[in-house]
Amino acid sequence: KQEVTQIPAALSVPEGENLVLNCSFTDSAIYNLQWFRQDPGKGLTSLLLIQSSQREQTSGRLNASLDKSSGRSTLYIAASQPGDSATYLCAPRGNMLTFGGGTRLMVKP
Amino acid sequence: DAGVIQSPRHEVTEMGQEVTLRCKPISGHNSLFWYRQTMMRGLELLIYFNNNVPIDDSGMPEDRFSAKMPNASFSTLKIQPSEPRDSAVYFCASSAQEAYTEAFFGQGTRLTVV
């Protein structure tokens, strides 16, 4: 059974900092990995999808990397803004989509 | 496309009552997931359908929970009888059949059992 861990669980930073959110998973037999964002009381918004054959995927200020063999993914957020405040969730996709506990990010003005 | 549509958005019911949550996946998507989210346990996968067939229901907590997908455009999650500990946000997600495609989530149903 896939187990997903996200570190740190919570992060508070001043605006403008570059951030790294970490995700580790136990079963490397995955097709892809998705990063999601969840605002309080809202649903999950897909940020990035990185295929198992890819090493990196970029969207704007976001960059996700994947090392399937070691069971790790990172989400890099450049020049953080208060609007980036949310919970970020990673989900490796094998037969099913399994979630970590998320990283709760607060970016202070 | 309107995305994944869930109804109702909010449901308040009394303990012992039957509750039915509904989901309309994105047109053309063949995979459908039901999740439950609580503060204590995070996002838990309840059941996964592929081509309307339940593939894995190991996450369904007990016999009080049942899910159906009578066709490619509709799924239900039923709780009977409901209990206060079932209070949570229930999400539905869908993706195209190929496992390398992106999954999209609905806005969720917030269930409160009093």
Side-chain angles (χ1 to χ4, degrees), chain A residues 53-67:
Chain A
S53 58
Q54 296 178 302
R55 300 284 292 185
E56 284 190 9
Q57 187 69 258
T58 298
S59 176
R61 294 182 295 107
L62 305 180
N63 175 277
S65 68
L66 176 65
D67 184 343

Side-chain angles (χ1 to χ4, degrees), chain B:
Chain B
D1 198 314
V4 178
I5 299 173
Q6 292 187 244
S7 64
R9 292 294 308 278
H10 302 274
E11 177 80 36
V12 180
T13 191
E14 291 186 349
M15 183 174 63
Q17 296 297 305
E18 177 180 297
V19 176
T20 299
L21 311 182
R22 297 172 175 79
C23 175
K24 177 178 167 54
I26 292 172
S27 177
H29 282 190
N30 303 90
S31 294
L32 185 138
F33 307 85
W34 280 101
Y35 289 88
R36 176 171 69 177
Q37 187 176 40
T38 60
M39 290 292 292
M40 291 297 295
R41 300 173 69 90
L43 266 166
E44 302 173 277
L45 177 64
L46 299 177
I47 189 168
Y48 160 49
F49 289 89
N50 194 40
N51 288 328
N52 313 336
V53 176
I55 302 301
D56 191 316
D57 64 356
S58 59
M60 296 285 264
E62 48 199 275
D63 292 345
R64 296 185 298 106
F65 285 68
S66 62
K68 293 183 180 179
M69 193 163 185
N71 56 62
S73 59
F74 184 64
S75 177
T76 60
L77 178 68
K78 185 178 292 187
I79 308 172
Q80 165 66 17
S82 57
E83 296 182 3
R85 61 192 168 117
D86 302 330
S87 298
V89 181
Y90 291 80
F91 286 103
C92 174
S94 72
S95 71
Q97 183 169 350
E98 295 79 11
Y100 52 81
T101 57
E102 197 171 3
F104 295 90
F105 276 70
Q107 288 301 299
T109 294
R110 181 173 297 277
L111 173 65
T112 303
V113 183
V114 298

Side-chain angles (χ1 to χ4, degrees), chain A residues 31-32 34 36 38 41-44 46 49 51 89 93-99, chain B residues 31 33 35 37 43 45 48 56 91 95-96 99-103 105-107 110:
Chain A
Y31 297 102
N32 61 50
Q34 261 182 279
F36 293 86
Q38 186 176 29
K42 304 292 186 183
L44 280 71
S46 181
L49 172 72
Q51 301 294 349
L89 298 136
R93 175 83 181 265
N95 290 327
M96 296 177 288
L97 194 62
T98 306
F99 282 85
Chain B
S31 294
F33 307 85
Y35 289 88
Q37 187 176 40
L43 266 166
L45 177 64
Y48 160 49
D56 191 316
F91 286 103
S95 71
Y100 52 81
T101 57
E102 197 171 3
F105 276 70
Q107 288 301 299
R110 181 173 297 277

